Amino acid sequence: AVWVAGCLLALGGAQARWLQTSASKVIRAPVGQTYAAWRDLKRMPEWSPVSRVDVDPTSGDSQWHLGYHAIEVSWKAQVVTDEYPSLLRWESTLGVPNRGEVRFTADGRDGCTMALTMSYQIPERISRIVESGIVQTFILRTCLRPTMQQFCEAMEREAGGLIVDQAAPTDAQITETLRR
């Protein structure tokens, strides 16, 4: 994920397209709890590859840090939609061009479905490589799938429920899409 982010920064300024990757997962925890946990940006390192998130208490803007060994990439972001307990949207304001949203939908049984969409601006110069699916597969395997699985496990632990399946989500549990 750091390599991809570094490439995006290095190639910034060129004509660009957006790469969108989405996944969804059922979580056996209340929708309000899951929304509140995701909204607490400082908790992101608990379940994602992000190493640190600093939040400005006045503006709510955040500084994200993603690191691997001696390489660190960072960007600033802001929440643009905050609709408790169902929708949170954000976009970067400086650094790695990205935006995303997470939706939580109650399932009526003390659980919910989480749908996560991440979009990254991809420079035109590398769009053929990206559109071949290599980068999307990398993002799904190293970022979205593990993040969603770890988040799900944390929420189910906090809800006091038993986690039946601790394995990675199956294709039936995760829906993935790629759009320009």
Side-chain angles (χ1 to χ4, degrees):
V2 172
W3 177 84
V4 171
C7 287
L8 297 178
L9 277 175
L11 293 170
Q15 292 285 344
R17 296 183 187 195
W18 286 92
L19 167 71
Q20 178 174 300
T21 307
S22 299
S24 63
K25 178 133 182 67
V26 173
I27 302 175
R28 291 184 313 272
V31 68
Q33 171 198 323
T34 56
Y35 182 93
W38 193 271
R39 180 65 178 95
D40 185 356
L41 302 178
K42 290 185 177 191
R43 289 190 68 186
M44 271 309 148
E46 292 178 36
W47 43 73
S48 77
V50 170
S51 57
R52 188 175 87 239
V53 180
D54 301 314
V55 180
D56 181 313
T58 305
S59 69
D61 291 351
S62 52
Q63 177 80 34
W64 294 70
H65 305 270
L66 179 66
Y68 183 75
H69 296 291
I71 301 169
E72 183 175 283
V73 175
S74 65
W75 64 94
K76 290 187 177 184
Q78 64 182 2
V79 171
V80 294
T81 305
D82 188 350
E83 297 175 5
Y84 177 86
S86 58
L87 175 64
L88 186 66
R89 282 193 185 113
W90 62 90
E91 62 185 26
S92 64
T93 57
L94 183 65
V96 178
N98 70 87
R99 61 185 179 211
E101 73 174 38
V102 62
R103 291 181 180 271
F104 296 97
T105 308
D107 68 6
R109 299 174 307 220
D110 265 349
C112 63
T113 299
M114 173 189 188
L116 176 62
T117 300
M118 300 288 298
S119 300
Y120 302 91
Q121 198 172 41
I122 305 296
E124 188 72 37
R125 290 183 253 175
I126 64 168
S127 65
R128 287 183 189 223
I129 295 169
V130 172
E131 290 171 353
S132 72
I134 295 168
V135 173
Q136 180 192 23
T137 300
F138 180 79
I139 291 169
L140 282 166
R141 288 185 181 161
T142 63
C143 187
L144 259 63
R145 283 181 175 169
T147 295
M148 292 184 80
Q149 184 64 30
Q150 290 173 31
F151 181 74
C152 176
E153 290 172 10
M155 293 303 95
E156 290 176 352
R157 268 192 312 275
E158 289 178 19
L162 297 175
I163 301 171
V164 176
D165 177 17
Q166 291 198 15
T170 65
D171 289 337
Q173 293 169 307
I174 288 187
T175 305
E176 302 152 359
T177 59
L178 168 66
R179 287 185 239 164
R180 289 183 217 172

